[in-house]
Every structure is written in structure tokens, then in C-alpha cells.
Amino acid sequence: MGLVDAWGGTAVGWFFAHLIEAFYNLFYALLHPDLWLAWLPYTNGNMPEVEIKEALMRFIYYGASVEFFFVVLAIFLVVTVIGLIKNQFMWGCVWVLESIANGVGRFFAWAGLLMVLQQIVIIFMQRVFAVSEISMGFGVAFSKDVSWWAEELKFYNAMIVCMCVTYTFVQGGHVRVDLIYSAVSHRTKRIIDMIGSLLFMIPAAILTWLYGWFFLWRHLVVPNPSASDTLDRLLTKARALRWNVETIGFSPNGFNAYFLFKVLLIAFTALVLLQAVAFFYRSYLELIEGEESEGKYLDKDPIGDPTAELVAKIH
């Protein structure tokens, strides 16, 4: 559109130019998915055409770009304005976002059981039967060295931490360092929560995304993309672009899919960002609707212990 070039002389002009262009960029991207998603059928395979490689480079560039930030900001502002006009719509957004956190967390929490069962199998196979290789699977066996399965336990632990973080937040399970929160009024608590979500959760998530995005792609493709590269430079690099998925382990026969940890970092950041928005909306709605709205539409798991239930309610 050219607004950034025309208005970019001042900080205010730069901001509003990007914000206005965000709506154009969003609809243009949705209407032209081939420009940035054409690489999907060739994931970790040969990309025969330069246009496909350029599409991947566009995806990498825009995934952590100023343009993408303003698209997300524009969506947030539009949803927030609609929610301010119609509070029930905002409650619906809270319910959807918290349902995502709960659904993802409840699913990946099973990784804890899987981790324990796999550790038991490793101990028996290694210490009792003295085997060096374990095969798992139905029909087609997946065979790896015992050290591979042992190191893979780190991945299960990372899955629980990254994918259950917002679920734990919704359930009130995070440890709270409470100095003044419990002693203030309902209204003050909600104001503190709103400020905390805007000034701490969202900026921390954005910074983690900016770091993690290029950290991920540097371990998936070569030439390595850089956060300082312009789009034109990345498109120039696209001619030599190829997949180079990280498969190096810490030990010769150890777990060799450490790129999955980088994927988890991105997923973790996205979940935290969504939960920060949900927390801001819930805090605002509970502020204007009063104490009777506290915990409204909140889907919390029963703990089963009265003392633990009381502690969770206090926090």
C-alpha cells in the first residue's frame, strides 16, 4: 500500500501506517496462500521449483516480522472493541481460549504416564534382560538403542512443561509469589491481572517468539535464515534453499530429534500469548461485572482433596 513509506517519518505515523496496512496484508495473505504455503507438500523433501523455495522463505520471514506483529495486533484490537461493545462476545472468546488451553493441556498431560511407563520398560530391558536395543510399535516395529529411548524421556518432560503451561495457569496450579495480592480488594486484583497480562505475559511471549522462530528454522533449512535478513535477501538465498533437519544427538546412539524441542518452544509461546489475551479479557470482565462473575465459565478440574481445593481457591 505504501503507507509506511509515506507516513514513516515519525513514530506515530509509522505505527498507524503499519496498523492500517495490517488489514490489507491479512486479507492479501488469506487470498494468496500459494505465495507462502506452497512448500507444505514438500516438507523435508525436494523442492523442485524456485517459487516453492521462495514461498518457504516468505513464510520464515513473515513469521517473525513487523508485518505479522501488526496483523496480530489488529485482530486483537478488533476483537477487543467488539468485546467492549458486547460483553457476551468477550466471554465467548475467554471460553474458547481457555478451552484450547485446557484441551491441549489435558491431552499432553498423558505424556507423564507415558514417560513413567517407558522408564519402567527401559529399566527392565536394560537391567534385567541386558538388551542393547528396544523395539516398539504395532505391525511395523520401531527399533532404537536403549540410550535413544532413555534420552527421549527429556522430550516427554518438555512436552508436559510447554504444552501444559496454560492449562496449569487456567487451573490455578502455578506457584504464586504473593506479597500484596491476597490482601487487596477484588477490583484491585483484577487491575493487577490486567496490567500483568499486558506488561509481562504478552511482551515476554513476543520476545520468546522472536527468538524461538529463527532458532527453529536455523535447525531445519540451509542457508540459515537470520532475524536481520530482509525479505529480498531471503528470497535471494532461496535459490540455494534446501531442507537440513537437525538429527544430531548428544551421544552416538542417543535421541536425535532435538529440533522437536524448538517446535515445542514455538507452541509454548503461542499458547502463552493466547492465554495472556484470555486472562486480560477475563480480568476486565470480572472487574466491570463484580465479584459474582469471578470464575464465570471457568472449567476447573476437581482436585478431590478439600484442603487442596481451598488452597487453589485462595490462589
Side-chain angles (χ1 to χ4, degrees), residues 113-136:
L113 176 61
L114 186 61
M115 180 167 55
V116 171
L117 294 177
Q118 184 167 310
Q119 181 66 80
I120 293 173
V121 171
I122 290 171
I123 293 173
F124 268 89
M125 298 300 289
Q126 189 175 31
R127 302 300 180 185
V128 178
F129 299 102
V131 299
S132 61
E133 189 175 272
I134 299 176
S135 298
M136 292 187 182

mmCIF file of all heavy atoms in Angstrom, residues 113-136:
data_model
loop_
_atom_site.group_PDB
_atom_site.id
_atom_site.type_symbol
_atom_site.label_atom_id
_atom_site.label_comp_id
_atom_site.label_asym_id
_atom_site.label_seq_id
_atom_site.Cartn_x
_atom_site.Cartn_y
_atom_site.Cartn_z
ATOM 1 N N LEU A 113 2.347 -40.085 32.093
ATOM 2 C CA LEU A 113 2.165 -41.523 32.251
ATOM 3 C C LEU A 113 3.035 -42.286 31.265
ATOM 4 O O LEU A 113 3.660 -43.298 31.623
ATOM 5 C CB LEU A 113 0.691 -41.883 32.049
ATOM 6 C CG LEU A 113 0.336 -43.378 32.085
ATOM 7 C CD1 LEU A 113 0.682 -43.979 33.437
ATOM 8 C CD2 LEU A 113 -1.141 -43.579 31.758
ATOM 9 N N LEU A 114 3.087 -41.808 30.027
ATOM 10 C CA LEU A 114 3.910 -42.462 29.012
ATOM 11 C C LEU A 114 5.379 -42.447 29.412
ATOM 12 O O LEU A 114 6.106 -43.432 29.204
ATOM 13 C CB LEU A 114 3.712 -41.757 27.667
ATOM 14 C CG LEU A 114 4.382 -42.392 26.450
ATOM 15 C CD1 LEU A 114 3.857 -43.797 26.214
ATOM 16 C CD2 LEU A 114 4.152 -41.530 25.214
ATOM 17 N N MET A 115 5.814 -41.349 30.007
ATOM 18 C CA MET A 115 7.205 -41.227 30.440
ATOM 19 C C MET A 115 7.532 -42.250 31.522
ATOM 20 O O MET A 115 8.583 -42.899 31.496
ATOM 21 C CB MET A 115 7.451 -39.797 30.953
ATOM 22 C CG MET A 115 8.864 -39.533 31.428
ATOM 23 S SD MET A 115 9.173 -37.759 31.669
ATOM 24 C CE MET A 115 7.857 -37.317 32.798
ATOM 25 N N VAL A 116 6.609 -42.419 32.477
ATOM 26 C CA VAL A 116 6.829 -43.379 33.566
ATOM 27 C C VAL A 116 6.865 -44.807 33.021
ATOM 28 O O VAL A 116 7.749 -45.607 33.378
ATOM 29 C CB VAL A 116 5.728 -43.233 34.637
ATOM 30 C CG1 VAL A 116 5.825 -44.360 35.663
ATOM 31 C CG2 VAL A 116 5.821 -41.885 35.317
ATOM 32 N N LEU A 117 5.896 -45.147 32.152
ATOM 33 C CA LEU A 117 5.849 -46.498 31.602
ATOM 34 C C LEU A 117 7.094 -46.805 30.777
ATOM 35 O O LEU A 117 7.654 -47.912 30.862
ATOM 36 C CB LEU A 117 4.592 -46.660 30.747
ATOM 37 C CG LEU A 117 3.250 -46.582 31.482
ATOM 38 C CD1 LEU A 117 2.102 -46.676 30.483
ATOM 39 C CD2 LEU A 117 3.137 -47.672 32.531
ATOM 40 N N GLN A 118 7.535 -45.837 29.995
ATOM 41 C CA GLN A 118 8.725 -46.069 29.177
ATOM 42 C C GLN A 118 9.955 -46.225 30.047
ATOM 43 O O GLN A 118 10.830 -47.050 29.754
ATOM 44 C CB GLN A 118 8.914 -44.919 28.183
ATOM 45 C CG GLN A 118 10.074 -45.122 27.224
ATOM 46 C CD GLN A 118 10.046 -44.138 26.072
ATOM 47 O OE1 GLN A 118 9.030 -43.972 25.421
ATOM 48 N NE2 GLN A 118 11.163 -43.466 25.826
ATOM 49 N N GLN A 119 10.041 -45.471 31.125
ATOM 50 C CA GLN A 119 11.182 -45.602 32.029
ATOM 51 C C GLN A 119 11.207 -46.989 32.669
ATOM 52 O O GLN A 119 12.280 -47.599 32.817
ATOM 53 C CB GLN A 119 11.116 -44.530 33.117
ATOM 54 C CG GLN A 119 12.282 -44.566 34.101
ATOM 55 C CD GLN A 119 13.602 -44.210 33.449
ATOM 56 O OE1 GLN A 119 13.915 -43.054 33.233
ATOM 57 N NE2 GLN A 119 14.403 -45.226 33.129
ATOM 58 N N ILE A 120 10.035 -47.520 33.019
ATOM 59 C CA ILE A 120 9.967 -48.867 33.594
ATOM 60 C C ILE A 120 10.445 -49.902 32.585
ATOM 61 O O ILE A 120 11.215 -50.820 32.916
ATOM 62 C CB ILE A 120 8.522 -49.174 34.054
ATOM 63 C CG1 ILE A 120 8.141 -48.259 35.228
ATOM 64 C CG2 ILE A 120 8.378 -50.643 34.451
ATOM 65 C CD1 ILE A 120 6.692 -48.364 35.630
ATOM 66 N N VAL A 121 9.986 -49.762 31.337
ATOM 67 C CA VAL A 121 10.408 -50.692 30.289
ATOM 68 C C VAL A 121 11.919 -50.634 30.091
ATOM 69 O O VAL A 121 12.589 -51.675 29.969
ATOM 70 C CB VAL A 121 9.680 -50.368 28.962
ATOM 71 C CG1 VAL A 121 10.276 -51.181 27.812
ATOM 72 C CG2 VAL A 121 8.195 -50.645 29.082
ATOM 73 N N ILE A 122 12.477 -49.437 30.083
ATOM 74 C CA ILE A 122 13.931 -49.271 29.893
ATOM 75 C C ILE A 122 14.701 -49.962 31.005
ATOM 76 O O ILE A 122 15.688 -50.671 30.761
ATOM 77 C CB ILE A 122 14.289 -47.777 29.826
ATOM 78 C CG1 ILE A 122 13.762 -47.160 28.537
ATOM 79 C CG2 ILE A 122 15.806 -47.579 29.912
ATOM 80 C CD1 ILE A 122 13.887 -45.656 28.477
ATOM 81 N N ILE A 123 14.252 -49.771 32.236
ATOM 82 C CA ILE A 123 14.946 -50.385 33.378
ATOM 83 C C ILE A 123 14.908 -51.900 33.290
ATOM 84 O O ILE A 123 15.933 -52.585 33.472
ATOM 85 C CB ILE A 123 14.315 -49.906 34.704
ATOM 86 C CG1 ILE A 123 14.590 -48.410 34.904
ATOM 87 C CG2 ILE A 123 14.866 -50.707 35.880
ATOM 88 C CD1 ILE A 123 13.876 -47.807 36.082
ATOM 89 N N PHE A 124 13.727 -52.460 32.982
ATOM 90 C CA PHE A 124 13.615 -53.912 32.887
ATOM 91 C C PHE A 124 14.448 -54.462 31.741
ATOM 92 O O PHE A 124 15.169 -55.465 31.901
ATOM 93 C CB PHE A 124 12.149 -54.304 32.715
ATOM 94 C CG PHE A 124 11.447 -54.581 34.007
ATOM 95 C CD1 PHE A 124 10.828 -53.555 34.703
ATOM 96 C CD2 PHE A 124 11.419 -55.862 34.538
ATOM 97 C CE1 PHE A 124 10.184 -53.804 35.912
ATOM 98 C CE2 PHE A 124 10.778 -56.118 35.746
ATOM 99 C CZ PHE A 124 10.148 -55.092 36.434
ATOM 100 N N MET A 125 14.362 -53.816 30.578
ATOM 101 C CA MET A 125 15.067 -54.340 29.417
ATOM 102 C C MET A 125 16.580 -54.217 29.565
ATOM 103 O O MET A 125 17.329 -55.081 29.101
ATOM 104 C CB MET A 125 14.613 -53.604 28.153
ATOM 105 C CG MET A 125 13.127 -53.775 27.837
ATOM 106 S SD MET A 125 12.641 -55.485 27.563
ATOM 107 C CE MET A 125 13.404 -55.828 25.981
ATOM 108 N N GLN A 126 17.026 -53.152 30.211
ATOM 109 C CA GLN A 126 18.462 -52.917 30.332
ATOM 110 C C GLN A 126 19.072 -53.653 31.509
ATOM 111 O O GLN A 126 20.152 -54.240 31.391
ATOM 112 C CB GLN A 126 18.733 -51.415 30.444
ATOM 113 C CG GLN A 126 20.214 -51.047 30.360
ATOM 114 C CD GLN A 126 20.412 -49.541 30.350
ATOM 115 O OE1 GLN A 126 19.635 -48.807 30.940
ATOM 116 N NE2 GLN A 126 21.454 -49.084 29.678
ATOM 117 N N ARG A 127 18.389 -53.612 32.656
ATOM 118 C CA ARG A 127 18.969 -54.185 33.870
ATOM 119 C C ARG A 127 18.624 -55.656 34.068
ATOM 120 O O ARG A 127 19.434 -56.411 34.610
ATOM 121 C CB ARG A 127 18.493 -53.388 35.091
ATOM 122 C CG ARG A 127 18.824 -51.908 35.044
ATOM 123 C CD ARG A 127 20.314 -51.671 34.957
ATOM 124 N NE ARG A 127 20.616 -50.240 34.906
ATOM 125 C CZ ARG A 127 21.847 -49.760 34.729
ATOM 126 N NH1 ARG A 127 22.870 -50.593 34.592
ATOM 127 N NH2 ARG A 127 22.050 -48.451 34.675
ATOM 128 N N VAL A 128 17.424 -56.059 33.653
ATOM 129 C CA VAL A 128 17.000 -57.434 33.884
ATOM 130 C C VAL A 128 17.360 -58.326 32.700
ATOM 131 O O VAL A 128 17.959 -59.395 32.854
ATOM 132 C CB VAL A 128 15.482 -57.496 34.153
ATOM 133 C CG1 VAL A 128 15.042 -58.955 34.346
ATOM 134 C CG2 VAL A 128 15.126 -56.667 35.381
ATOM 135 N N PHE A 129 17.000 -57.862 31.471
ATOM 136 C CA PHE A 129 17.234 -58.697 30.299
ATOM 137 C C PHE A 129 18.534 -58.367 29.577
ATOM 138 O O PHE A 129 18.920 -59.074 28.641
ATOM 139 C CB PHE A 129 16.063 -58.566 29.324
ATOM 140 C CG PHE A 129 14.752 -59.012 29.916
ATOM 141 C CD1 PHE A 129 13.824 -58.080 30.353
ATOM 142 C CD2 PHE A 129 14.468 -60.357 30.059
ATOM 143 C CE1 PHE A 129 12.622 -58.475 30.894
ATOM 144 C CE2 PHE A 129 13.259 -60.769 30.598
ATOM 145 C CZ PHE A 129 12.335 -59.828 31.030
ATOM 146 N N ALA A 130 19.191 -57.258 29.970
ATOM 147 C CA ALA A 130 20.511 -56.881 29.436
ATOM 148 C C ALA A 130 20.524 -56.775 27.914
ATOM 149 O O ALA A 130 21.420 -57.282 27.228
ATOM 150 C CB ALA A 130 21.576 -57.866 29.897
ATOM 151 N N VAL A 131 19.501 -56.126 27.364
ATOM 152 C CA VAL A 131 19.462 -55.912 25.916
ATOM 153 C C VAL A 131 19.991 -54.511 25.605
ATOM 154 O O VAL A 131 19.948 -53.611 26.441
ATOM 155 C CB VAL A 131 18.033 -56.078 25.361
ATOM 156 C CG1 VAL A 131 17.518 -57.491 25.621
ATOM 157 C CG2 VAL A 131 17.095 -55.047 25.959
ATOM 158 N N SER A 132 20.489 -54.332 24.392
ATOM 159 C CA SER A 132 21.027 -53.029 23.993
ATOM 160 C C SER A 132 20.095 -52.266 23.075
ATOM 161 O O SER A 132 20.342 -51.107 22.765
ATOM 162 C CB SER A 132 22.376 -53.217 23.291
ATOM 163 O OG SER A 132 22.211 -54.017 22.120
ATOM 164 N N GLU A 133 19.033 -52.925 22.625
ATOM 165 C CA GLU A 133 18.105 -52.291 21.682
ATOM 166 C C GLU A 133 16.669 -52.648 22.057
ATOM 167 O O GLU A 133 16.389 -53.773 22.477
ATOM 168 C CB GLU A 133 18.407 -52.760 20.265
ATOM 169 C CG GLU A 133 17.646 -52.016 19.184
ATOM 170 C CD GLU A 133 18.062 -52.425 17.781
ATOM 171 O OE1 GLU A 133 19.016 -51.833 17.238
ATOM 172 O OE2 GLU A 133 17.422 -53.354 17.248
ATOM 173 N N ILE A 134 15.771 -51.680 21.941
ATOM 174 C CA ILE A 134 14.363 -51.884 22.261
ATOM 175 C C ILE A 134 13.538 -51.580 21.021
ATOM 176 O O ILE A 134 13.755 -50.561 20.354
ATOM 177 C CB ILE A 134 13.913 -50.973 23.426
ATOM 178 C CG1 ILE A 134 14.717 -51.285 24.687
ATOM 179 C CG2 ILE A 134 12.423 -51.148 23.701
ATOM 180 C CD1 ILE A 134 14.398 -50.364 25.848
ATOM 181 N N SER A 135 12.582 -52.456 20.732
ATOM 182 C CA SER A 135 11.675 -52.266 19.604
ATOM 183 C C SER A 135 10.263 -52.052 20.122
ATOM 184 O O SER A 135 9.789 -52.796 20.981
ATOM 185 C CB SER A 135 11.701 -53.483 18.671
ATOM 186 O OG SER A 135 12.991 -53.660 18.120
ATOM 187 N N MET A 136 9.602 -51.010 19.616
ATOM 188 C CA MET A 136 8.220 -50.728 19.986
ATOM 189 C C MET A 136 7.410 -50.478 18.725
ATOM 190 O O MET A 136 7.946 -50.042 17.704
ATOM 191 C CB MET A 136 8.134 -49.504 20.907
ATOM 192 C CG MET A 136 8.725 -49.689 22.276
ATOM 193 S SD MET A 136 8.408 -48.264 23.354
ATOM 194 C CE MET A 136 9.270 -48.765 24.843
#
